[in-house]
Amino acid sequence: MALVAHIDSGKTTLTESILLKSSYLTTAGSVDTGSTITDFLPAERERGITIQSASIPVVWRNWTFNLIDTPGHADFGMEVESASRVVDGAVVLIDSVEGVEAQTKGVWRQLDRYGVGSRIMFLNKLDRPGASFRSSLVSLLSHRLHPKPMALALPIASFDINDYSKAEPGIQGLVDLVNWEVWKWNQDGDSVRHPLPTDANQLEKTGIFPENHPIIPYLVPARTALLDNLSMFSDDLMERLLALPSTPSAYLTVPPQDVIPHLRAATLRNDILPVLCGSAFKHIGTELLMDYVGALLPSPVDVIEKVPSAKAPLRVLAWKVSWDKRKGWMTFVRVYSGTLTRQSVIMNATRNHKERVSKLLLLYANQTEEVETLSFGSVGVILGLLHTRTGDTLMSTKRSEDDDYLRDIVPPPPVMSASVLPQSHSDLGPVQEALNSLSRTDPSVRIELQEGQILVHGLGALHLEIVESRLRDEWNVNFEFGKRMVSYREGPGPGNIDPKPGSWKTEMFGKPFTIDVDLDVRAFKEGEKGDPLWDGNVVLGPNGRPLPLADNFTDQDDPLACISRGISNALSSSPHSNFPLSNVHIQVNKWRYPSQAMPASTLAGASAYILREILRVAGMGPLMEPYIRMKVTVNEESLGKTMKDLTEHSAEVFDLAASSVGGADMDEDVAPYSEDGVYLPPEFLSPASSSSAARNSTASLRRSIHAVAPLSQMLNFSSRLRALSGGHGVFEMANAGFREVTEGRKLEILKEMGRA
């Protein structure tokens, strides 16, 4: 299971709470003090953010979870990408003050992309002023995350009814609507459970709640709504409910063991989205969440058609590679069939290399435990693999032709780059070696040699900062980083593309040779989408199916592997602007070369030359630059100045809101999901959300600006916002893809890059 969310939603704090409640820790660490188990990198503890995903096996009741804590910042989206590929289910966190945010939707789409259908939503930070259980549920519908969020618990802000009238923020307990019991926490985060009566008339006489507590009238309607809504997805439960007598207490008599199987089945089918809540910082709701994770989320046997036997052929996916100064290369793997044994020899089927497994580890963040084997469903670490990269499939050496590859992990496209300048000539080799090692641990870092300089491409300014600090701290190399630049793209030109087969003339051993490669090249049609593996282009082989990248061919001397390498080289640098090309559709038809006289590798040079000539003749195409979605939050008095700065820097403002909960969504021009069939509790269950004090402190004086802007204009926005808002403004960014620029802007970019 993975914990995923927008930045600062409390994933690492929840991980610490889970480790504390599962008795792995005796005291929980804190993000603020840099004492958490999973954030162990120096940069993570210094900045108080998660940079890399960390895996920990957690034993809870009768279950064992492989828990993965992931980063929330969009600059480290590759870590979420790789974790999403191997998990069976996910817990998605929301800050109950902010509701659904930009990166919440980003990680939600990543889970969709890798088919992680079963999720539980945890509404965190209900102890904060302005937190709202109801508004957070509404934001799930407004932002179209799921049409059927289903509250399995209600928050109890306080057991003192005076706190409701004072609108005091807080959370002291939860009502578990499925098991029909109340959880009550004390100041130390310890809980006591109290069963609720199955007679509605006895609810006020339990002694759990003080007399006239405002939540009591809503308990029976909440459980009734839960069972009614769930029965829409289960005929058996529907029949069970129809057989009940028509009394107010009838639905309270349905035992939890009659509800949970239907709840689990609906969760596995993704018909519903179970919603829980609490405060990870105060350890409230953690135990209930883990109970439902075990009861509802899929185990490895639930996500495959047939459970493999212990003697099944070995199939393992390498989902992450990392470097440790003492242990060397550490390959994080998940076993999909068979049993992996230490000191065995396995085959990297993706790269056609044999690898030796020296040690197998279970990893508890940065603590390790050696094991002899890893069996089906296990997540662990292999030491000693030299060639394996993220996304590779590992198999036994005795594999058959029928063995299928596991699905690859696709890195997000880079949006920013910087030059790396070794301090002396003797530093060049170590710097290049360190960069290659770093790109192996983080595939979203791309290295390029362009006109004699080394360029490193990343997912944002923070990503490049972390790359810089890791090169210094982990590889101890001497270099300087140049100015950060945005990664632009060029589209195909408007000229006619010659449909005739292309030719490349060369000499070998003093003899002239001609190589023909027949390529059909065109610009994208309207609505056509690119392949992320090919950086937004589409490259098809002779069979009409997508052509794999050269590194993914088992035989590197395969003619198609060589052609793939040549096409990749040509697309990485336009003949007009040196920018990578995008929105190009290429079909490889056939090729001809004197195979007896020259190696197949010459096809790489030939296909690169022919494709560059085709693109050169077509002329220079439109330029595209990366855009970002922004949410800027400022005090009312700074709103005008901030809006002026944004519009002066080419931003398009599309929404102004008092808060982000239920706010507009720039990606969706469609209506929010309907509230029909969804139970929404009254707003006063979170008293601080409706208080005048909270409104004055959060909504009236704070305004959120939602905008989209070119990334190049926002590289120094942090310092500008600090000056405009007196240090009180905050902003968030998320990738919004590439857009074509105007002719005027195109000329500016070319001048800026020295191309005009």
Side-chain angles (χ1 to χ4, degrees), residues 24 54 69 196 292 301 336 353 535 548 589-590 611 615 667 688 697 715 718 745:
Y24 178 78
D69 176 27
L196 288 169
Y292 278 113
V301 302
Y336 282 87
H353 274 293
D535 238 2
N589 295 319
K590 55 188 177 181
L611 179 55
L615 295 168
D667 294 331
S697 62
L715 296 181
S718 179
R745 177 68 183 135

Side-chain angles (χ1 to χ4, degrees), residues 298-317:
S299 75
V301 302
D302 294 313
V303 293
I304 56 175
E305 292 181 7
K306 183 181 177 183
V307 179
S309 67
K311 295 182 180 179
L314 181 68
R315 278 199 317 155
V316 176
L317 180 73

Side-chain angles (χ1 to χ4, degrees), residues 89-348:
V91 175
V92 185
L93 283 79
I94 281 182
D95 182 333
S96 297
V97 178
E98 303 296 337
V100 173
E101 299 177 84
Q103 193 58 14
T104 314
K105 290 178 282 186
V107 297
W108 194 269
R109 293 186 190 108
Q110 284 176 302
L111 294 171
D112 285 342
R113 192 154 57 244
Y114 290 101
V116 184
S118 302
R119 302 161 204 179
I120 291 176
M121 185 64 67
F122 185 72
L123 309 182
N124 194 23
K125 301 190 178 184
L126 274 170
D127 54 323
R128 285 183 60 196
S132 171
F133 184 77
R134 178 190 172 92
S135 296
S136 297
L137 277 175
V138 170
S139 76
L140 297 176
L141 300 171
S142 301
H143 293 277
R144 299 181 63 84
L145 289 198
H146 201 285
K148 297 296 178 187
M150 191 168 287
L152 305 187
L154 294 182
I156 303 170
S158 175
F159 286 91
D160 182 350
I161 60 175
N162 293 322
D163 288 340
Y164 283 84
S165 58
K166 295 175 187 174
E168 289 286 341
I171 180 168
Q172 295 181 2
L174 292 171
V175 179
D176 182 349
L177 297 173
V178 177
N179 293 295
W180 199 232
E181 59 188 11
V182 171
W183 291 66
K184 188 174 182 178
W185 280 268
N186 61 21
Q187 293 293 327
D188 299 323
D190 298 321
S191 61
V192 180
R193 296 159 71 173
H194 302 278
L196 288 169
T198 54
D199 183 350
N201 297 320
Q202 298 297 317
L203 285 173
E204 291 200 25
K205 303 172 184 176
T206 59
I208 304 169
F209 300 102
E211 194 175 345
N212 299 321
H213 193 284
I215 199 173
I216 293 174
Y218 294 93
L219 296 180
V220 175
R223 190 170 210 253
T224 303
L226 170 67
L227 296 183
D228 276 339
N229 293 337
L230 182 59
S231 69
M232 295 296 111
F233 305 99
S234 170
D235 291 341
D236 291 342
L237 181 60
M238 177 76 79
E239 290 178 13
R240 173 84 167 79
L241 297 180
L242 289 173
L244 293 173
S246 55
T247 62
S249 304
Y251 277 45
L252 307 187
T253 62
V254 181
Q257 59 267 27
D258 287 0
V259 178
I260 288 177
H262 305 290
L263 196 58
R264 174 176 169 81
T267 304
L268 295 183
R269 294 192 304 267
N270 198 23
D271 289 338
I272 64 167
L273 175 65
V275 178
L276 294 161
C277 59
S279 168
F281 181 70
K282 294 185 175 179
H283 312 297
I284 294 176
T286 305
E287 298 131 301
L288 189 61
L289 171 66
M290 293 305 290
D291 285 348
Y292 278 113
V293 165
L296 304 183
L297 289 187
S299 75
V301 302
D302 294 313
V303 293
I304 56 175
E305 292 181 7
K306 183 181 177 183
V307 179
S309 67
K311 295 182 180 179
L314 181 68
R315 278 199 317 155
V316 176
L317 180 73
W319 61 274
K320 181 180 169 181
V321 177
S322 103
W323 168 259
D324 184 274
K325 290 180 181 178
R326 291 171 298 171
K327 300 182 181 69
W329 288 109
M330 303 174 66
T331 306
F332 291 68
V333 296
R334 167 155 179 188
V335 181
Y336 282 87
S337 71
T339 302
L340 184 61
T341 311
R342 67 185 292 268
Q343 297 299 338
S344 59
V345 176
I346 55 176
M347 173 65 75
N348 184 325

Side-chain angles (χ1 to χ4, degrees), residues 275-471:
V275 178
L276 294 161
C277 59
S279 168
F281 181 70
K282 294 185 175 179
H283 312 297
I284 294 176
T286 305
E287 298 131 301
L288 189 61
L289 171 66
M290 293 305 290
D291 285 348
Y292 278 113
V293 165
L296 304 183
L297 289 187
S299 75
V301 302
D302 294 313
V303 293
I304 56 175
E305 292 181 7
K306 183 181 177 183
V307 179
S309 67
K311 295 182 180 179
L314 181 68
R315 278 199 317 155
V316 176
L317 180 73
W319 61 274
K320 181 180 169 181
V321 177
S322 103
W323 168 259
D324 184 274
K325 290 180 181 178
R326 291 171 298 171
K327 300 182 181 69
W329 288 109
M330 303 174 66
T331 306
F332 291 68
V333 296
R334 167 155 179 188
V335 181
Y336 282 87
S337 71
T339 302
L340 184 61
T341 311
R342 67 185 292 268
Q343 297 299 338
S344 59
V345 176
I346 55 176
M347 173 65 75
N348 184 325
T350 307
R351 304 189 185 280
N352 200 31
H353 274 293
K354 285 187 178 180
E355 299 264 38
R356 175 169 288 279
V357 178
S358 62
K359 290 183 180 180
L360 295 176
L361 306 176
L362 288 180
L363 201 64
Y364 298 85
N366 61 341
Q367 305 296 317
T368 58
E369 175 192 335
E370 280 196 42
V371 293
E372 291 295 317
T373 60
L374 291 175
S375 56
F376 165 66
S378 298
V379 172
V381 172
I382 304 177
L383 298 186
L385 304 189
L386 301 177
H387 307 286
T388 301
R389 288 177 171 264
T390 299
D392 287 358
T393 300
L394 306 174
M395 297 180 176
S396 58
T397 50
K398 297 178 181 178
R399 60 194 186 96
S400 67
E401 293 297 320
D402 298 330
D403 289 339
D404 56 333
Y405 287 61
L406 295 164
R407 182 178 171 187
D408 201 357
I409 300 167
V410 182
V415 297
M416 191 174 288
S417 60
S419 56
V420 182
L421 312 169
Q423 289 186 351
S424 66
H425 184 71
S426 61
D427 292 319
L428 177 61
V431 166
Q432 287 183 316
E433 188 177 336
L435 282 168
N436 289 332
S437 297
L438 182 60
S439 68
R440 184 177 169 190
T441 69
D442 183 357
S444 60
V445 175
R446 301 195 189 179
I447 314 302
E448 181 186 4
L449 288 172
Q450 191 179 98
E451 298 181 347
Q453 67 174 340
I454 305 171
L455 290 179
V456 55
H457 301 276
L459 302 182
L462 179 59
H463 191 201
L464 291 180
E465 281 182 35
I466 298 301
V467 166
E468 184 177 1
S469 64
R470 289 189 67 190
L471 287 172

Side-chain angles (χ1 to χ4, degrees), residues 14-15 76 187 231 256 294 325 330 335 405 407 458 496 518 560 608 692 696 750 752:
L14 180 58
T15 301
F76 311 112
Q187 293 293 327
S231 69
K325 290 180 181 178
M330 303 174 66
V335 181
Y405 287 61
R407 182 178 171 187
N496 292 325
D518 182 5
L560 268 177
S692 59
N696 289 337
L750 293 174
E752 178 187 331

